[in-house]
Amino acid sequence: MAHLAVVPADTKAVAGDDATGAAWWSYEDLPPLAFDHGAILDAVRGTLSMETTTRLIEVTACAWTDRIPLP
């Protein structure tokens, strides 16, 4: 299972009790990843189009400001 999140740039990442630290990373500039996480993200990159990703960001930004556009 993998999740994609769009968050405001000033959102703070907070580690839970099972981690010593947490951070947000740009989708285009990720650090080395453990296990098969890199392969999962490579598959996602091949599936999500730039248009889909851009629309996701637009809808999320509108939701933050209560301005969701009608199709």
Side-chain angles (χ1 to χ4, degrees):
M1 178 182 295
H3 300 277
L4 171 66
V6 178
V7 298
D10 60 350
T11 301
K12 295 197 185 311
V14 178
D17 61 359
D18 63 339
T20 58
W24 295 110
W25 293 90
S26 167
Y27 186 66
E28 291 83 22
D29 190 28
L30 295 170
L33 302 173
F35 311 110
D36 61 347
H37 298 168
I40 291 169
L41 288 176
D42 288 343
V44 170
R45 283 188 179 117
T47 301
L48 286 179
S49 68
M50 183 53 71
E51 180 180 338
T52 300
T53 305
T54 300
R55 185 68 180 141
L56 173 63
I57 292 168
E58 289 171 351
V59 169
T60 303
C62 288
W64 289 329
T65 60
D66 296 326
R67 295 186 327 248
I68 298 177
L70 298 174

